Each structure stands twice: as C-alpha cells, then as structure tokens.
Amino acid sequence: ASPWIAWILSRPGKEKRNNIINVQDKKKLTDTAYRIWKYYDKYADKSNNYLPPDNVQFITEEKIARRTSPTNIGFYMLAIIISLRFEFITKEDALNRLDNTLHTIEKLQKYKGHLYNWVDTVTLCPLAPLFISTVDRGNFIACCISVRQALSLLVCEKPSEENRLAALQKRLDSIIYQTDFTFLYDARKKSFSTGFNITENKLSQSFYDILASESRLTMYIAISLGQVPLDCYTNAA
C-alpha cells in the first residue's frame, strides 16, 4: 500500500500555495545557506585533502571526524556550485576547489570505479569494513552529473578559463563513465542489493525492491548508463 499512500500524501492541497518568497524568508534561507557553506569552507581544507569531514562535534572541545563518504564528497562539490550561484565565492575560487577535490578523488582507491564507503580524510585510506554502498554511489554520481552540467552554464570570460571548464568536465565524465553498477544488481531478483562487501567478496542479501526508496537515484543512473535493464525500474515500481 506504500505507493498509494505516498501518492495520496504528495497530492497538492486544496488551497493554492503562494510560491513567492518574501524578503524576510529569502534572507533567512540565504543566511542558512551561508552557514552551511562556511562548514565546508572551514573543514574541507588542505589538512583534510579538500574532502569534507563527516561531522564535527563541539561538546567540551572541537572534535573533527576525519572520515568521509561518497555522499559527503558529492554534496560538497554541489555546495561549491551553489555557493558560486549565491556569490559567496568567486568563479576562480569555485574552480580551484573543484580542481583540488577532483585531484583527491582521482587518487583514492576504488573498486570497479567506486569509492569505498568510508575514507580517512588525512591518510586517504579506505576504512574497514570495506564496503561499496549502492545508495552512496548513486548519490555521488548524481552529484558529479549535476556539477558537470552546472559547469556548462558558466560563462567563459577568457580562453584559458574555456579550457579549464572543459578539463574539469572531462574529469567528471571520466569518473561517471568508469563507474560500474552492474555487480550491485541482481538479475534474478531484478533489483539492487544494498551494497557489496569487498572483504567477503559478495553482495549484501538485503535488496531495494520498491521505487520509493533511497536507491532510486542509483536506478536512474545505472539505467541511463545502459548498465542495467529497464525492468529494474518497472520491477521496483
């Protein structure tokens, strides 16, 4: 019954909503966006190899969790683009940050093009247990696609800057198209596993078998890349 319940809950209300954001709300949202950006600005630094730490605790003292996930990394790259749109940073700063983070991503150990579930932001070593998360990887690749498209919308003011944007897009394309989702898909069940345990060399026996799940992005991406059949989507629906 969950698809039916989700459909009922997602229907628009009877009263037409006012989609215009007033000045006060706009300022509040902008201030919130800026505070989020300042987290990335402070902690996704050279000491963390330009990767965002998973969290920072402030009880008694500042404690930085020097580990990160593919989702965290993807969200940081999106935050760079969004902060440029908000004019929190300059275009040059945005391109420098993307360049630094992509350089780190390119150095990280991978399995069939996938980043490991958790990585130490200082040593860049994958953390045990060695695992490939289906959802995390879908999130990360979706962010890479979004960032790549956003770069296409940037206006080039000088030839060297044309060239730099194209180079960043090419590096993102390499990450996207070198990622293999096929081993995360069970053709018999026609659905994705929650992940792959590298240490045990086997798929998790838990599966995403409904469309309204956190693996939906992964389904869309894997289908669009031609790596899994369309009935992956229809079966989940």
Side-chain angles (χ1 to χ4, degrees), residues 30-173:
T30 302
D31 290 344
T32 300
Y34 184 72
R35 290 200 305 274
I36 293 171
W37 169 246
K38 292 309 291 183
Y39 173 85
Y40 290 118
D41 182 42
K42 181 176 181 180
Y43 296 109
D45 59 0
K46 186 176 181 179
S47 70
N48 284 300
N49 284 289
Y50 307 104
L51 300 178
D54 184 66
N55 64 82
V56 178
Q57 301 295 322
F58 295 99
I59 299 176
T60 67
E61 61 178 327
E62 182 183 76
K63 294 182 180 179
I64 304 173
R66 297 191 184 275
R67 62 180 182 275
T68 197
S69 69
T71 296
N72 289 337
I73 298 170
F75 283 177
Y76 169 53
M77 292 196 295
L78 275 183
I80 293 173
I81 295 297
I82 293 168
S83 296
L84 174 59
R85 294 290 298 273
F86 271 105
E87 298 184 347
F88 298 156
I89 58 177
T90 64
K91 186 192 298 184
E92 182 178 4
D93 190 10
L95 297 183
N96 286 339
R97 289 172 185 272
L98 287 174
D99 185 25
N100 288 332
T101 300
L102 285 174
H103 181 67
T104 299
I105 292 170
E106 290 158 352
K107 291 193 300 182
L108 292 175
Q109 296 180 48
K110 300 175 182 67
Y111 181 84
K112 296 188 177 183
H114 292 270
L115 302 180
Y116 289 96
N117 203 41
W118 289 103
V119 175
D120 188 302
T121 60
V122 178
T123 67
L124 299 184
C125 293
L127 301 176
L130 300 183
F131 191 78
I132 303 297
S133 165
T134 299
V135 168
D136 251 344
R137 293 302 297 148
N139 291 343
F140 174 71
I141 295 301
C143 290
C144 287
I145 293 171
S146 297
V147 171
R148 192 227 180 275
Q149 292 305 107
L151 291 176
S152 300
L153 301 176
L154 293 183
V155 177
C156 302
E157 297 170 353
K158 340 180 232 192
S160 60
E161 191 177 70
E162 173 70 6
N163 293 338
R164 192 175 187 193
L165 288 174
L168 288 172
Q169 288 179 310
K170 186 175 181 180
R171 292 163 72 186
L172 286 164
D173 283 341

Side-chain angles (χ1 to χ4, degrees), residues 20 27 54 61 72 87 99 102 136 176 178 181 188 192 218:
I20 300 175
K27 182 180 185 306
D54 184 66
E61 61 178 327
N72 289 337
E87 298 184 347
D99 185 25
L102 285 174
D136 251 344
I176 294 164
Q178 288 181 14
F181 287 97
R188 183 176 59 85
F192 275 99
T218 305

Side-chain angles (χ1 to χ4, degrees), residues 5-21:
I5 294 172
W7 175 75
I8 291 294
L9 294 175
S10 63
R11 290 188 303 174
K14 293 182 179 179
E15 295 182 4
K16 187 176 180 181
R17 295 183 179 179
N18 185 355
N19 293 321
I20 300 175
I21 300 177

